[in-house]
Amino acid sequence: MKTIFRHILITGGFLSLMNLMPAQEITVPLRFDRYYDYEELIEAMKALNRAYPRLTHLDLVGKSEENREIWALTINNPQTGNELDKPGVYVDGNIHGNEVQAGEVCLYFADYLLKNYGKNPRITALVDKNAYYVVPSVNVDGRYHFFNDPNTPSTNRGLRRPHDDDRDGLFDEDFPDDLDGDGNICNMRKRDPFGQYRTDPLDSRLMIPVKPGEPGEWTLLGQEGIDNDGDGQVNEDSEGYVDPNRNWPYNWEPPYVQRGSDNYPLSGVGLKALANYIIDRPNIIMAFAFHNNGGMFLRGPGTEDQGDFPRNDVEVFDYLGKNAEKIVPGYRYLLSWRDLYSTYGDFGDFMDNIVGAYTFVGELYRTDDETFRSPGESQKQEDEGSMFTENTSRTKERLEFNDHVVHGDLYKEWTPYNHPTYGEIEIGGWVKMSSRLPHPFMLPDLVHRNAAAVIFSSEQTPEIKLEVTETEKIDRNLYRVTVRLSNRKAIPSLTYHAVQKKIHEQDILKVHGKQIRVVSGGRLTDLYRNRVVYKEHKPEIQYLQVPGFGKIEFQFLVSGKGEMQVEYTSLKAGKIRKTVSLK
Ligand SMILES: [Ca+2]
Ligand SMILES: [Ca+2]
Ligand SMILES: [Ca+2]
Ligand SMILES: [Ca+2]
Ligand SMILES: [Zn+2]
């Protein structure tokens, strides 16, 4: 109750005014020099669906903790086949509520495919080839609250599942507070001769630690706010914390091992709905999940103890990942547990291990792109510390960028404020729409390049060709039939990991006919010396995987005459059927 009261007290009047305002009309092609809040994002998806009714449909995935709708946009050309008979490409974003530009990348990807359909031949072929499942905002409550509430760049990540962080019997009772009403949660500092910091002589907005014996100037008081529940602590219990990217049902661990995992996997109602949505689309072979920040394309596994994927899968990841690095300059292709940190119960592990899809996490944006330097000048290095460490040459450069490139949009100048507990203080620092999000003028470049990385990988989904390369009559009513399945793309018809772990059924090649009988059949391992690994039982049905950039061949001895059907069926790479006449 106290939380609700606080929100009404501070932002209630402003919010109710906003709710009365008519939503700005959203038209296609969509604009990307702006951000879309939750409602606008849904409107944008509906606008795409209205503009391209033959190529798209909208599905309600489910509802969130706070009853907001999670929508998926499917792009599929029904004239080139059913969705489930094509390779599925899944793209989502914004599972962390504050990582909002991930939603714009998804919107842009959809908008770009659709507006170029029938215009750009490569995009046209790409739309015709795959089924695309686009979920621009997974954590819809997080997106809503990030835009509508005061925040730092890093708050509102989790699910809206109340949690008593300080175990005082009250749930989410002491959020940070927007004391000066500017929509941001910034930082507080107080003049104090015994403080641990003094003003940086190079930029008075920054502070540097005092050396032993030196007089102090400032004490830092943390995030903007007051002690809402009067327990003597300020801002100690805000939303959650359930991390929606630690709540997935593969390699899940309880919160004492993995912070934010919650009491059991898929306790998040929206996440559970999304898991069902994905499981209902077993054709998904490739996935991108967008986050911010740092400029990375991460692949799994999430933890070292899982061991690496089979070598052939690593080759596929490397091929896609190294090309993604080139498409988005400055981004690095990395192995998540080794190059970043270990995660239990994350979405990528679920997709790799339950769905059998090659999955990348795209960490969008690099503050390194906030430049202010001459051509010859090399980039100033962060001295040390975390991404929010003040007092570094990089931070100074970012402030110059703020001052001269975006004219103060990203940084709030220190401003006096009379605090109920601390007295005369100052509030200032990086604002909500900074630090992890590009300024809107940089957004079109970010969304295009990252969508292009997804497009590169989408072009590499399996393209299987079935050829009956030989029907040789070797005796009266006995034929030798050779079938070749080839794939001219990088991604195999199913992952090697899926084959090794038996995640789902393999592809099936079936030879049959009314007047024929398959006497023997098996995989042709050496075409020139005619070596065949025969399958003893039911030789007319062969299980297989078609490799990337390669082929697999089978040889059958068939008795009888007349029509012979050759059928290839794959969970992820479609269906092909050929009829051959034996005579
Ligand atoms: Ca509490
Ligand atoms: Ca503020
Ligand atoms: Ca408190
Ligand atoms: Ca507070
Ligand atoms: Zn994230």
Side-chain angles (χ1 to χ4, degrees):
M1 282 307 287
K2 279 201 171 153
T3 307
I4 295 165
F5 175 69
R6 182 187 56 87
H7 278 291
I8 292 168
L9 190 73
I10 295 186
T11 59
F14 178 56
L15 272 184
S16 57
L17 261 180
M18 289 214 333
N19 292 342
L20 292 174
M21 288 195 290
Q24 192 189 335
E25 209 199 331
I26 290 165
T27 52
V28 294
L30 300 174
R31 284 174 51 185
F32 289 94
D33 55 351
R34 52 157 295 181
Y35 286 99
Y36 292 79
D37 70 15
Y38 166 71
E39 267 112 21
E40 292 167 333
L41 184 101
I42 304 301
E43 272 310 305
M45 294 173 78
K46 289 179 177 168
L48 286 172
N49 177 233
R50 273 196 306 272
Y52 306 98
R54 287 188 309 113
L55 293 176
T56 65
H57 60 88
L58 279 173
D59 291 302
L60 181 62
V61 172
K63 290 194 173 182
S64 68
E65 274 68 22
E66 291 184 341
N67 218 31
R68 286 192 184 83
E69 291 171 341
I70 303 167
W71 287 93
L73 180 76
T74 300
I75 302 175
N76 178 59
N77 182 0
Q79 291 182 324
T80 59
N82 296 326
E83 269 170 65
L84 294 179
D85 295 341
K86 295 176 187 170
V89 172
Y90 174 87
V91 188
D92 82 16
N94 201 194
I95 194 169
H96 288 135
N98 62 320
E99 297 172 355
V100 295
Q101 81 269 48
E104 278 75 15
V105 169
C106 293
L107 283 183
Y108 183 87
F109 174 71
D111 185 64
Y112 188 81
L113 291 188
L114 293 166
K115 79 181 174 199
N116 283 299
Y117 187 78
K119 296 190 179 109
N120 177 316
R122 285 221 355 235
I123 299 299
T124 306
L126 200 59
V127 170
D128 285 342
K129 171 187 173 177
N130 295 315
Y132 300 88
Y133 306 109
V134 185
V135 184
S137 183
V138 174
N139 184 356
V140 288
D141 295 336
R143 191 178 192 88
Y144 173 84
H145 287 289
F146 185 75
F147 281 99
N148 291 56
D149 300 350
N151 276 295
T152 79
S154 301
T155 49
N156 256 293
R157 297 173 63 71
L159 296 183
R160 289 276 155 168
R161 294 178 69 73
H163 192 265
D164 181 8
D165 296 334
D166 60 341
R167 302 200 173 180
D168 64 349
L170 300 171
F171 289 72
D172 301 351
E173 75 282 3
D174 196 344
F175 278 61
D177 309 87
D178 182 13
L179 299 177
D180 57 4
D182 70 344
N184 301 297
I185 300 297
C186 291
N187 296 300
M188 305 189 290
R189 69 178 187 182
K190 186 175 173 61
R191 281 204 183 273
D192 177 3
F194 299 99
Q196 296 299 302
Y197 295 87
R198 63 185 176 87
T199 304
D200 187 334
L202 293 178
D203 190 318
S204 64
R205 290 169 287 192
L206 300 180
M207 289 156 284
I208 50 176
V210 294
K211 295 197 183 76
E214 236 177 28
E217 205 176 341
W218 300 104
T219 287
L220 303 187
L221 296 166
Q223 287 180 355
E224 193 179 335
I226 55 171
D227 177 8
N228 302 85
D229 61 335
D231 69 344
Q233 287 178 286
V234 177
N235 307 339
E236 78 283 356
D237 191 349
S238 61
E239 95 283 356
Y241 186 76
V242 176
D243 184 332
N245 202 29
R246 304 290 185 271
N247 190 233
W248 290 83
Y250 187 85
N251 207 29
W252 178 91
E253 289 283 353
Y256 58 83
V257 177
Q258 174 61 68
R259 180 176 177 256
S261 65
D262 208 12
N263 299 334
Y264 55 93
L266 295 184
S267 59
V269 295
L271 296 182
K272 187 171 184 191
L274 183 58
N276 285 329
Y277 172 89
I278 290 168
I279 292 296
D280 286 345
R281 287 154 182 82
N283 56 322
I284 294 170
I285 179 95
M286 211 227 4
F288 274 79
F290 283 103
H291 292 241
N292 74 33
N293 69 339
M296 294 176 270
F297 292 104
L298 300 165
R299 72 159 174 96
T303 54
E304 181 176 14
D305 59 292
Q306 294 180 56
D308 208 350
F309 295 122
R311 188 180 50 81
N312 289 314
D313 281 338
V314 172
E315 281 174 9
V316 176
F317 276 117
D318 287 354
Y319 183 74
L320 304 177
K322 285 174 182 171
N323 278 288
E325 277 185 340
K326 292 173 193 167
I327 294 166
V328 195
Y331 283 40
R332 290 161 303 153
Y333 158 59
L334 301 171
L335 172 52
S336 60
W337 71 259
R338 187 190 67 201
D339 302 321
L340 198 62
Y341 44 70
S342 292
T343 48
Y344 294 91
D346 76 17
F347 176 72
D349 272 353
F350 171 78
M351 293 301 285
D352 289 329
N353 292 283
I354 306 288
V355 180
Y358 292 101
T359 306
F360 286 96
V361 165
E363 293 283 359
L364 300 163
Y365 197 54
R366 305 156 68 240
T367 52
D368 288 359
D369 294 335
E370 294 174 353
T371 55
F372 189 78
R373 61 183 95 112
S374 331
E377 212 176 342
S378 67
Q379 188 193 319
K380 298 176 180 77
Q381 294 300 310
E382 287 283 355
D383 305 332
E384 57 182 23
S386 74
M387 73 182 160
F388 296 114
T389 305
E390 300 264 3
N391 176 40
T392 64
S393 44
R394 265 297 298 150
T395 308
K396 289 191 182 94
E397 187 182 351
R398 288 186 60 212
L399 283 171
E400 300 269 24
F401 175 91
N402 167 70
D403 295 344
H404 307 304
V405 185
V406 297
H407 314 106
D409 282 353
L410 302 181
Y411 193 88
K412 183 184 175 64
E413 302 294 332
W414 292 99
T415 315
Y417 183 83
N418 191 359
H419 190 278
T421 309
Y422 301 126
E424 286 304 323
I425 61 160
E426 289 185 3
I427 295 172
W430 298 102
V431 302
K432 176 168 82 172
M433 300 302 282
S434 76
S435 307
R436 303 170 70 117
L437 299 166
H439 190 276
F441 90 87
M442 301 165 89
L443 188 58
D445 181 84
L446 178 139
V447 296
H448 180 82
R449 284 188 182 273
N450 282 281
V454 181
I455 286 170
F456 181 92
S457 291
S458 305
E459 285 184 318
Q460 295 303 324
T461 58
E463 266 180 50
I464 309 299
K465 190 173 164 191
L466 184 158
E467 296 161 283
V468 180
T469 50
E470 183 189 39
T471 48
E472 171 99 14
K473 188 170 185 175
I474 52 173
D475 202 347
R476 207 166 65 87
N477 280 353
L478 191 64
Y479 295 84
R480 187 174 64 212
V481 175
T482 307
V483 178
R484 181 198 295 151
L485 288 157
S486 59
N487 176 9
R488 61 186 201 91
K489 296 296 183 174
I491 298 179
S493 61
L494 64 167
T495 70
Y496 288 84
H497 188 59
V499 175
Q500 198 180 77
K501 301 292 183 195
K502 301 183 168 68
I503 293 174
H504 43 67
E505 66 186 15
Q506 293 193 35
D507 300 349
I508 292 170
L509 179 66
K510 189 176 174 189
V511 175
H512 63 106
K514 278 213 175 77
Q515 294 158 35
I516 66 153
R517 188 170 67 86
V518 176
V519 179
S520 72
R523 187 175 163 199
L524 186 58
T525 55
D526 188 331
L527 179 65
Y528 303 104
R529 286 182 294 169
N530 219 28
R531 296 237 167 108
V532 179
V533 180
Y534 290 102
K535 179 165 173 271
E536 198 181 338
H537 300 290
K538 294 202 171 192
E540 69 276 14
I541 294 174
Q542 300 287 333
Y543 298 101
L544 66 123
Q545 171 204 36
V546 189
F549 295 138
K551 65 169 167 90
I552 184 167
E553 285 164 306
F554 291 86
Q555 197 175 80
F556 300 91
L557 284 179
V558 179
S559 74
K561 248 189 180 24
E563 297 232 308
M564 177 183 76
Q565 322 283 345
V566 183
E567 286 174 16
Y568 167 76
T569 311
S570 169
L571 197 60
K572 305 202 183 265
K575 295 185 176 119
I576 311 170
R577 174 191 285 233
K578 282 228 159 128
T579 304
V580 180
S581 185
L582 298 179
K583 55 191 171 208

